[in-house]
Amino acid sequence: MPLRKSLALACAMPLVLLSAPLHAEDDSAVAAVIDEGLNRNEALLRAQDLMDRIGPRLTNSPGMRKAEEWAVKEMAEIGLSNIHKEGFEFGRGWEQVRSDVWMLSPRPIELTAIPLAWTPGTDGRIEGEVVVAPMSKKEHFEAYRGKLAGKIVLVSKPGTGDEPSTAPFNRLETSDIAKRDTMALPTYDPHAIAEREAKGTLVRGDFTLALDEFLRSEGAIAWAKISYRDGKLLHGSNYTYLSGRTPQLPAFEIAAEDYRRLARLSRVGPAPRVSLDSEVRFTDDDTKGYNIIGEIPGSDPKAGYIMVGGHFDSWAAGDGAVDNGASTVAILEAARILKATGAKPKRTIRFVLWSGEEQGLLGSFAYIRQHIASRAGEENAIPGAEPSFWADSWPITPKPGYSELKAYFNMDNGVGKIRGIHAEGNVAAESLLGKWLKPFASLGAEKVVSGSTSGTDHVFFQRLGLPAFQFIQDPLDYSARLHHTNIDTFDHIPADDLRQTSTVIAGILLQAANDSATLPREPLPKKPVETKPFEWKYPDED
Amino acid sequence: MPLRKSLALACAMPLVLLSAPLHAEDDSAVAAVIDEGLNRNEALLRAQDLMDRIGPRLTNSPGMRKAEEWAVKEMAEIGLSNIHKEGFEFGRGWEQVRSDVWMLSPRPIELTAIPLAWTPGTDGRIEGEVVVAPMSKKEHFEAYRGKLAGKIVLVSKPGTGDEPSTAPFNRLETSDIAKRDTMALPTYDPHAIAEREAKGTLVRGDFTLALDEFLRSEGAIAWAKISYRDGKLLHGSNYTYLSGRTPQLPAFEIAAEDYRRLARLSRVGPAPRVSLDSEVRFTDDDTKGYNIIGEIPGSDPKAGYIMVGGHFDSWAAGDGAVDNGASTVAILEAARILKATGAKPKRTIRFVLWSGEEQGLLGSFAYIRQHIASRAGEENAIPGAEPSFWADSWPITPKPGYSELKAYFNMDNGVGKIRGIHAEGNVAAESLLGKWLKPFASLGAEKVVSGSTSGTDHVFFQRLGLPAFQFIQDPLDYSARLHHTNIDTFDHIPADDLRQTSTVIAGILLQAANDSATLPREPLPKKPVETKPFEWKYPDED
């Protein structure tokens, strides 16, 4: 058993034993949730409305604005209280209007391609020879100097096709879940943090801008990268959303098969000619991103609140269905189920749809800064930039909301049914979480594991020691082919999974809001001791 | 052991035992083939040239015409003899010039869609509401009468997404191959044949034409069907290629995700508006399809010939790489290897690239009628129509070529490495085939199985009792996502598989052409006895 887990367990046990069993009244309330959630579930219809009619929700895009209005209206129809938007500085809005990419020679074919997010359109049709010039860092630029004038530059290594020899669609076996019940020892390497900080927190957008500047100075007319998935899947992700940091050259993602064909033809020569015609729209009327919040107020104003959240924003290639529209719809449906069953929670239940997650958890980060805690050094943060909030600066100072938040549950693992809860290293919380899961064991949701997940909106809460969790969900084909792609559409939401998910969330929230016990917290982080011996490096080593 | 196999074995054994072992000279020749094939293989470069530069080869399309010229030139460069094209009546040429399909409302997005082969363009942009009207037979038309005027009709059932829970990319385990070593008993049901014949041999094109006529009479402006694979894959297959049988309404295949979105939005209303703009080109200057033939002449003019073939035509959505460009390239490479090693076969080796396979094995059927055999009733065949040649009419009359053809090997199972040979029920041939495979056992090609394969160009040869075989190949992702799709491109040809395949073919051909034994034949088919009791049916039962 890892060190931190055994220590934490020693502290947590008494708390758990003191937690009261559910009263008969609570049992009935959970039964009502299950009845409403399984027999009169509305999530699928709401998912269809959001994904089919509104579609992609790139942060601050016109589509996201429509979706925000939609969410506020849905929350009102459900009967939530205190519905409001909380803005945070983000950057520009952007949407694709149309695009059209052709290989003209040696034979005319239309290529599967889209503009990269937050890059400009072509301002009419442009045409040129392609040249393959793989570049992944600024040091690579020099090799291509003087060779790119008038060209459409293919900046990715083409690679070769993949061999997809595992099943794209999966459900978790019990043994898969058991493997997550281990906790990695925490690490603390201040040198690594310092190096990361020195590179800046906008690394991804930085390279795009440097590339744009280099290619312009060389007279290139546009550039393209390869899709990172085979099979005509596209993503379009790119990070140049801050005002004043917009590239000037049009940039595209080309489907792997089409990109590699261009590269192969270039190699044997003559290089193919390609034509590009794209129109995009930047919007700057409102540079704020918005988290959308609604509540079921608790009967005890001093009892604090339980929060559930998931990011509402998506990339622009698909309809943002399994990442993460379905989760937000499940959250709204959990709210509806609770309202429909007349739930009267002791603690307030807060439902939050985050924005800016895809650009670095910006929405949940803004919430933390506004409500939860501040940290030394945060005054240097660039508004809208990917946060370095939990870097190596101390102390962390809690705000009043720090103690009011009794539990946060995050949803951002696709749409597969809930199989349990990741305790995210807060092993002291496992018993109480397990108790709340009990009514849903026969629906497949029963296991609490110690393991952590990363890369989404519970992370900053968890790093503060708050009880912040992510559900264990069947992965389905989330990672294999849907995550950020042009086929992330309503089609790939299994109806029964969505029904189970929304029902389980409602039940967990209700119990968390009513239990006489509250979840144990990890302590507020203090500066740790270095966990590894210092490693010497060569001057050019990364 | 199935009946037919044990009988055949009883006849075949003596023949096999009489076959001579390879002479030392032959062993050296095979060693030279392996050296040339593995160390100086040119198939990959040739595959790249064909797939990337020329691309799709729909029968009789301008692309196919370019490819035919290419193949003749390649055969000449390789040094084959008697290079010629053999024409057969096919129908119209067709190619897609460009197409552009948009959903206009409730939000504008470009849909992934292509025109169906051999359907007309839109003659400018057309626009209308979609209506979902699933129809799979003429009896369904009546339900939609009066409801389709001005509409774009979605004629497929939308269904829901699939759950791809098996790996797309596979290699055969020994146990998978062993399962193929069984032979199904032959069946003979003259009533079933008669019913099939009564429906005609153009069934697929017939329904398209009936649908086209019905929709026109109702005032619909276009129609579309759903792709039969998820994940934005497209096919575009359609069978209205005969002159005088061209539909009048534009018809499209729409990617599953896009089609289902239209259908869902139609159901909740208002129905989406869609705009279509496509340009296609019909060519009628030459209505013949062409098989392309080249030879390495044998030293003994009376010893007959060994033939290898694969279809050269493809569908139009992709570049026809694994179906079946790679196989034809492997065949050309086998020829090159044999020429490069100075092989002097006793029997002539004939290399054939078939056309019209995708429309019903038309090229190999034409070859049969011209060279191999005729059959009572064939005078009623419609030129270009899917053959009913092996229906219930007797007798079959061999032509001189019938005895001259000593073996036919077909390639149309993707590009996976050769693992063995399907004896296609000719169990008497298994020993000799096994002997020829022996030098390639360590390359993974070693097993002869009794089982049969269907649906490609060896079938009509095999049904005549000729020794006609198909290789066992690793399936890779042929069926899962490449067969007939828009991602059937060069990317999905594993280089080492192509190298192995072309080398093994060369070695098998060389041995088959030089062995002192010839492969045993099954007898010329005679009218069989009914194999099942007659089954009574309801009047409307299919």
Side-chain angles (χ1 to χ4, degrees):
Chain A
M1 186 182 283
L3 180 66
R4 195 163 159 227
K5 178 161 179 174
S6 62
L7 284 176
L9 266 178
C11 310
M13 276 310 180
L15 267 174
V16 171
L17 295 174
L18 287 173
S19 81
L22 287 175
H23 300 302
E25 191 189 318
D26 299 313
D27 288 348
S28 299
V30 171
V33 160
I34 293 175
D35 169 60
E36 182 69 20
L38 298 188
N39 294 310
R40 284 169 299 283
N41 199 295
E42 296 179 4
L44 201 71
L45 285 173
R46 191 171 286 116
Q48 187 175 324
D49 193 39
L50 176 62
M51 263 54 86
D52 287 347
R53 199 173 51 78
I54 298 178
R57 300 171 304 281
L58 190 69
T59 306
N60 278 19
S61 65
M64 184 55 157
R65 291 286 174 259
K66 279 194 202 98
E68 287 161 358
E69 284 167 31
W70 176 90
V72 166
K73 188 173 136 282
E74 294 294 317
M75 283 185 173
E77 274 179 19
I78 287 166
L80 295 188
S81 306
N82 190 23
I83 300 166
H84 64 288
K85 305 203 287 184
E86 292 187 351
F88 58 91
E89 194 53 42
F90 173 76
R92 309 189 73 183
W94 181 91
E95 70 177 354
Q96 167 186 339
V97 178
R98 59 180 184 79
S99 78
D100 201 42
V101 177
W102 280 76
M103 179 170 85
L104 301 175
S105 67
R107 61 183 163 108
I109 43 172
E110 188 167 2
L111 307 183
T112 301
I114 48 173
L116 295 180
W118 293 290
T119 62
T122 57
D123 197 15
R125 186 168 292 280
I126 59 176
E127 188 187 317
E129 257 181 21
V130 300
V131 59
V132 183
M135 292 175 267
S136 72
K137 50 185 183 181
K138 295 172 192 174
E139 290 72 17
H140 292 153
F141 294 167
E142 200 50 40
Y144 303 108
R145 206 173 284 283
K147 299 174 183 169
L148 307 178
K151 307 286 190 190
I152 295 165
V153 186
L154 304 184
V155 304
S156 310
K157 291 208 284 188
T160 51
D162 66 353
E163 297 189 351
S165 46
T166 54
F169 186 98
N170 283 290
R171 293 192 181 274
L172 295 172
E173 301 294 330
T174 309
S175 57
D176 299 323
I177 297 175
K179 279 180 207 145
R180 303 191 185 191
D181 198 14
T182 55
M183 200 172 73
L185 288 177
T187 59
Y188 174 62
D189 180 350
H191 312 283
I193 296 173
E195 275 178 31
R196 208 163 52 229
E197 301 253 315
K199 286 185 188 164
T201 56
L202 290 163
V203 174
R204 291 177 294 195
D206 274 351
F207 180 69
T208 303
L209 289 167
L211 183 66
D212 179 66
E213 190 187 341
F214 168 68
L215 294 176
R216 269 188 292 132
S217 72
E218 292 292 312
I221 60 170
W223 59 277
K225 64 178 191 178
I226 191 171
S227 168
Y228 56 90
R229 281 185 176 93
D230 271 22
K232 294 269 180 181
L233 298 182
L234 291 173
H235 312 80
S237 33
N238 182 52
Y239 298 87
T240 51
Y241 54 87
L242 287 188
S243 305
R245 286 169 55 90
T246 302
Q248 292 183 36
L249 284 183
F252 292 80
E253 179 178 330
I254 300 179
E257 285 82 359
D258 287 333
Y259 186 100
R260 291 198 207 102
R261 192 196 290 108
L262 292 172
R264 289 189 302 265
L265 287 166
S266 295
R267 174 128 168 79
V268 296
R273 290 190 71 78
V274 162
S275 99
L276 306 164
D277 187 4
S278 74
E279 187 183 340
V280 307
R281 190 178 294 137
F282 282 95
T283 53
D284 294 303
D285 48 315
D286 185 352
T287 57
K288 278 195 164 63
Y290 293 95
N291 298 323
I292 311 204
I293 298 175
E295 290 178 355
I296 300 178
S299 56
D300 178 356
K302 293 182 178 167
Y305 69 100
I306 304 297
M307 184 160 69
V308 63
H311 72 87
F312 198 40
D313 63 300
S314 74
W315 287 105
D319 293 345
V322 311
D323 187 18
N324 190 37
S327 295
T328 56
V329 162
I331 289 167
L332 291 174
E333 177 63 11
R336 192 202 65 78
I337 292 168
L338 291 171
K339 289 297 290 185
T341 56
K344 304 274 181 241
K346 183 174 70 176
R347 302 183 186 91
T348 292
I349 304 175
R350 179 170 283 193
F351 304 86
V352 192
L353 312 186
W354 307 115
S355 188
E357 192 271 352
E358 296 293 6
Q359 290 74 43
L361 325 183
L362 302 178
S364 54
F365 173 63
Y367 188 93
I368 298 257
R369 291 187 67 185
Q370 185 175 346
H371 300 287
I372 306 291
S374 62
R375 183 166 192 161
E378 71 175 281
E379 60 279 8
N380 303 323
I382 302 167
E386 194 174 359
S388 67
F389 194 61
W390 301 120
D392 193 24
S393 63
W394 309 91
I396 296 166
T397 311
K399 300 191 175 190
Y402 180 81
S403 57
E404 289 163 14
L405 178 59
K406 304 302 184 190
Y408 174 62
F409 295 95
N410 191 67
M411 288 205 65
D412 184 19
N413 279 325
V415 68
K417 72 177 176 179
I418 291 178
R419 305 294 302 279
I421 300 175
H422 293 102
E424 304 286 335
N426 183 349
V427 292
E430 291 183 20
S431 290
L432 200 49
L433 292 171
K435 189 181 83 168
W436 298 340
L437 273 177
K438 218 153 238 156
F440 306 102
S442 57
L443 285 171
E446 58 177 329
K447 181 80 182 159
V448 180
V449 300
S450 307
S452 295
T453 58
S454 61
T456 181
D457 293 301
H458 66 300
V459 163
F460 292 127
F461 295 98
Q462 206 285 324
R463 286 196 203 160
L464 283 170
L466 289 170
F469 310 102
Q470 192 153 240
F471 294 103
I472 304 168
Q473 291 179 264
D474 278 335
L476 310 188
D477 40 359
Y478 182 76
S479 301
R481 58 179 199 152
L482 301 180
H483 184 245
H484 297 183
T485 72
N486 53 339
I487 62 163
D488 184 9
T489 60
F490 176 89
D491 305 65
H492 302 292
I493 302 176
D496 283 352
D497 288 70
L498 185 59
R499 187 154 55 126
Q500 189 261 20
T501 302
S502 48
T503 303
V504 173
I505 298 168
I508 298 286
L509 293 173
L510 182 64
Q511 294 174 87
N514 279 335
D515 204 299
S516 58
T518 52
L519 286 166
R521 293 167 173 245
E522 295 179 283
L524 193 74
K526 286 178 284 204
K527 187 178 170 72
V529 167
E530 278 189 61
T531 52
K532 297 276 187 224
F534 181 73
E535 273 187 70
W536 294 93
K537 288 187 178 176
Y538 293 115
D540 65 349
E541 195 175 339
D542 270 336
Chain B
M1 185 182 284
L3 178 67
R4 196 162 157 226
K5 178 163 180 172
S6 63
L7 284 175
L9 267 179
C11 311
M13 275 309 180
L15 266 173
V16 171
L17 296 175
L18 286 173
S19 81
L22 286 176
H23 300 301
E25 191 189 315
D26 298 313
D27 288 348
S28 300
V30 171
V33 160
I34 293 175
D35 170 60
E36 182 69 19
L38 299 187
N39 295 310
R40 285 169 298 282
N41 198 296
E42 297 179 2
L44 202 70
L45 286 172
R46 192 170 287 117
Q48 188 175 323
D49 193 39
L50 176 63
M51 262 55 84
D52 286 349
R53 200 173 51 77
I54 298 178
R57 301 171 303 281
L58 190 69
T59 307
N60 277 19
S61 66
M64 183 55 156
R65 291 285 174 258
K66 280 194 202 97
E68 287 161 359
E69 283 167 31
W70 177 90
V72 166
K73 190 173 136 282
E74 294 295 317
M75 283 185 174
E77 275 179 18
I78 287 165
L80 294 187
S81 307
N82 189 24
I83 300 166
H84 65 287
K85 305 203 287 186
E86 291 186 352
F88 59 92
E89 194 52 42
F90 173 75
R92 309 189 73 182
W94 181 93
E95 69 177 354
Q96 166 184 342
V97 178
R98 59 182 184 78
S99 77
D100 201 44
V101 176
W102 281 76
M103 178 170 84
L104 302 174
S105 67
R107 58 183 166 109
I109 43 171
E110 188 167 4
L111 307 182
T112 300
I114 47 172
L116 295 180
W118 293 290
T119 63
T122 57
D123 197 16
R125 187 168 290 281
I126 59 175
E127 188 187 318
E129 256 182 20
V130 300
V131 59
V132 184
M135 292 175 266
S136 72
K137 51 186 181 181
K138 296 173 192 174
E139 290 73 15
H140 293 152
F141 294 165
E142 198 51 38
Y144 304 107
R145 206 174 286 283
K147 299 173 182 169
L148 308 176
K151 307 286 189 189
I152 295 165
V153 185
L154 305 183
V155 304
S156 309
K157 290 208 284 187
T160 52
D162 66 353
E163 298 189 351
S165 46
T166 54
F169 186 97
N170 283 289
R171 293 192 181 275
L172 295 172
E173 302 294 330
T174 309
S175 57
D176 298 323
I177 297 175
K179 279 180 207 147
R180 303 189 184 192
D181 199 15
T182 55
M183 199 172 72
L185 289 177
T187 58
Y188 175 62
D189 180 349
H191 311 283
I193 297 173
E195 275 178 32
R196 209 164 53 230
E197 301 253 313
K199 286 184 186 165
T201 56
L202 289 162
V203 174
R204 290 177 295 194
D206 274 351
F207 181 69
T208 303
L209 290 168
L211 184 65
D212 178 67
E213 192 186 340
F214 168 68
L215 294 175
R216 270 189 291 131
S217 72
E218 291 292 312
I221 61 170
W223 59 276
K225 65 178 190 178
I226 191 171
S227 168
Y228 56 89
R229 281 186 176 93
D230 271 22
K232 294 268 181 182
L233 298 182
L234 290 173
H235 313 79
S237 34
N238 181 53
Y239 298 86
T240 50
Y241 54 87
L242 287 188
S243 306
R245 285 169 56 91
T246 301
Q248 292 183 34
L249 284 184
F252 291 80
E253 178 178 329
I254 300 180
E257 284 83 359
D258 288 332
Y259 186 99
R260 290 198 207 102
R261 193 196 289 106
L262 292 173
R264 289 189 302 265
L265 287 166
S266 297
R267 175 131 168 78
V268 295
R273 290 191 70 78
V274 162
S275 100
L276 306 164
D277 186 4
S278 74
E279 187 183 339
V280 306
R281 191 177 294 137
F282 282 94
T283 52
D284 294 303
D285 50 314
D286 185 351
T287 57
K288 278 196 164 63
Y290 293 95
N291 298 324
I292 309 196
I293 298 176
E295 290 178 353
I296 300 178
S299 57
D300 178 356
K302 293 181 178 167
Y305 70 99
I306 304 296
M307 184 160 68
V308 62
H311 72 88
F312 198 41
D313 63 299
S314 75
W315 286 104
D319 293 345
V322 312
D323 186 17
N324 190 37
S327 295
T328 56
V329 163
I331 289 167
L332 291 173
E333 177 63 10
R336 192 201 65 79
I337 292 167
L338 291 171
K339 289 298 290 184
T341 55
K344 303 276 183 242
K346 184 174 69 176
R347 302 182 186 93
T348 293
I349 304 176
R350 180 170 282 192
F351 303 86
V352 192
L353 311 186
W354 307 116
S355 188
E357 192 273 351
E358 296 292 5
Q359 290 74 43
L361 325 183
L362 301 178
S364 54
F365 174 62
Y367 187 93
I368 298 255
R369 291 187 67 186
Q370 185 175 345
H371 299 287
I372 306 293
S374 62
R375 182 165 192 161
E378 70 174 282
E379 61 280 7
N380 303 323
I382 302 167
E386 195 175 355
S388 68
F389 193 61
W390 301 120
D392 193 23
S393 63
W394 309 92
I396 296 165
T397 312
K399 299 192 175 190
Y402 179 81
S403 57
E404 288 164 13
L405 178 59
K406 304 302 184 191
Y408 174 63
F409 295 95
N410 192 67
M411 289 204 65
D412 184 18
N413 279 323
V415 69
K417 73 177 175 179
I418 291 178
R419 304 293 303 278
I421 300 175
H422 293 102
E424 304 286 335
N426 183 349
V427 292
E430 291 183 20
S431 291
L432 200 49
L433 293 171
K435 191 181 81 169
W436 298 340
L437 274 178
K438 218 153 240 158
F440 306 102
S442 57
L443 286 171
E446 58 177 330
K447 183 79 182 159
V448 180
V449 300
S450 306
S452 295
T453 58
S454 62
T456 181
D457 293 302
H458 66 301
V459 163
F460 292 127
F461 295 97
Q462 206 285 325
R463 286 197 202 158
L464 283 169
L466 288 170
F469 310 102
Q470 192 152 240
F471 294 104
I472 303 168
Q473 291 178 264
D474 277 335
L476 310 187
D477 40 0
Y478 182 76
S479 301
R481 57 180 199 152
L482 301 179
H483 183 246
H484 296 183
T485 72
N486 52 338
I487 63 164
D488 184 9
T489 61
F490 176 88
D491 305 63
H492 303 292
I493 302 176
D496 284 352
D497 287 70
L498 186 58
R499 189 153 55 124
Q500 188 260 22
T501 302
S502 47
T503 304
V504 173
I505 298 168
I508 297 286
L509 293 173
L510 182 64
Q511 294 175 85
N514 279 335
D515 204 301
S516 58
T518 52
L519 286 165
R521 294 167 172 243
E522 295 180 282
L524 192 74
K526 285 176 285 204
K527 187 177 171 72
V529 167
E530 277 188 62
T531 53
K532 297 274 187 225
F534 180 75
E535 273 187 72
W536 294 94
K537 288 186 178 176
Y538 294 115
D540 65 349
E541 195 175 339
D542 270 338

